[in-house]
Amino acid sequence: MIKENLSVVRQTIPAEVRLIAVSKTKPVSDIEEAYNAGQRVFGENKALEMRDKYAVLPKDIEWHFIGHLQTNKIKYIAPFVSLIHSIDSLNVLQAVDKEAAKNGRIIDCLLQFHIAKEETKFGLALNEAEDILTSDEYKSLTHIRICGVMGMATNTDDEALVRNEFRELRNIFNTLKDKHFAGSTFFKEISMGMSEDYPIAVKEGATMVRVGSKIFGKRIYAEVND
Ligand SMILES: *Cc1c(COP(=O)(O)O)cnc(C)c1O
């Protein structure tokens, strides 16, 4: 089914939008099935799970970290992670920079914004992001690169609300681009949209969508944020 699901999802996403197949909690065999169907970009939300999957899977996979990142676990993913979608503090960014330096890498990151009505979702407000970007601490970092923004909309059937939240994220992107990344070619990503709302996200300007259950089926295990 994974192959068929992938094909359906791909057909509804324009070619220039990247599809991140969110494989969290799913076994390696499921990822292999998606890989054999041509998928090369996968998203995980736990550092150790991602490290263990990286170890046994083909090395041309791009691994994207999409979960809340604990500073003491960055070391497990720093050697290979392609993009961290979920930077929500200067502290985490500094810790990523440190681990990236140890590995002789520059790690691409997105700033995660809180756009949903739910209290539980992580993320920055615009003013908090600007405080980070104008700080001396941020300016001294040499092994990270901020490539754009990420956000999760409210989990609701209210399409107008979801659309407004995605618009808000795009406005945040535009503001940051103008004020802090003008002339930068790498600040270009808007990561938004999941299984239930990615078509809206694409219409509102997503450059990346993160789709899990629509590809791999419902997740069975309870999710914890680590
Ligand atoms: C789990 C998760 C997804 C994918 O969710 P689905 O609804 O299964 O598509 C996308 N983004 C983040 C941050 C996630 O944690």
Side-chain angles (χ1 to χ4, degrees):
M1 276 313 281
I2 292 172
K3 189 176 179 200
E4 289 76 9
N5 292 345
L6 249 179
S7 144
V8 168
V9 171
R10 281 214 194 98
Q11 278 163 29
T12 54
I13 297 175
E16 66 275 13
V17 174
R18 299 200 82 198
L19 171 61
I20 320 302
V22 176
S23 47
K24 61 189 187 192
T25 80
K26 296 294 177 181
V28 162
S29 56
D30 283 9
I31 300 177
E32 281 169 338
E33 198 174 333
Y35 181 91
N36 290 334
Q39 182 66 25
R40 290 294 179 274
V41 190
F42 293 89
E44 292 282 340
N45 70 342
K46 290 183 194 168
L48 291 169
E49 184 177 341
M50 186 159 112
R51 178 199 62 180
D52 292 347
K53 287 173 172 173
Y54 165 78
V56 298
L57 282 158
K59 292 298 172 277
D60 62 341
I61 286 177
E62 241 186 64
W63 293 96
H64 288 216
F65 193 82
I66 61 169
H68 187 64
L69 192 50
Q70 289 176 296
T71 52
N72 62 343
K73 297 203 173 144
I74 296 168
K75 59 177 179 282
Y76 300 123
I77 63 169
F80 65 90
V81 66
S82 287
L83 181 64
I84 298 175
H85 290 232
S86 43
I87 299 294
D88 60 3
S89 70
L90 177 60
N91 189 36
V92 170
L93 198 56
Q94 287 173 308
V96 171
D97 185 80
K98 197 168 142 195
E99 293 301 325
K102 280 188 202 162
N103 286 279
R105 305 185 64 213
I106 291 174
I107 295 183
D108 286 343
C109 297
L110 305 180
L111 295 175
Q112 181 173 354
F113 287 89
H114 184 274
I115 53 171
K117 295 284 168 282
E118 291 122 335
E119 291 287 321
T120 51
K121 287 182 179 158
F122 292 100
L124 298 159
L126 179 57
N127 67 308
E128 293 170 331
E130 297 211 79
D131 286 348
I132 292 174
L133 295 172
T134 53
S135 69
D136 291 338
E137 291 92 338
Y138 167 73
K139 287 174 185 161
S140 74
L141 302 180
T142 49
H143 289 76
I144 53 95
R145 200 162 70 161
I146 306 283
C147 298
V149 302
M150 180 271 228
M152 291 164 87
T154 303
N155 185 7
T156 172
D157 292 336
D158 182 349
E159 287 196 13
L161 178 62
V162 170
R163 190 174 309 112
N164 276 333
E165 291 172 352
F166 288 148
R167 272 183 198 166
E168 185 187 336
L169 187 62
R170 193 184 55 199
N171 288 337
I172 288 170
F173 171 85
N174 288 335
T175 300
L176 294 180
K177 177 98 186 157
D178 289 347
K179 287 174 76 173
H180 303 279
F181 297 95
S184 142
T185 51
F186 51 82
F187 189 85
K188 60 180 169 54
E189 306 295 353
I190 305 179
S191 167
M192 60 186 186
M194 307 175 25
S195 290
E196 297 307 318
D197 56 19
Y198 75 85
I200 305 173
V202 165
K203 280 198 195 113
E204 296 306 326
T207 65
M208 294 180 171
V209 293
R210 310 175 308 270
V211 179
S213 41
K214 258 224 151 63
I215 297 169
F216 295 106
K218 279 204 166 60
R219 287 175 295 273
I220 301 158
Y221 303 103
E223 286 171 43
V224 288
N225 267 301
D226 75 344

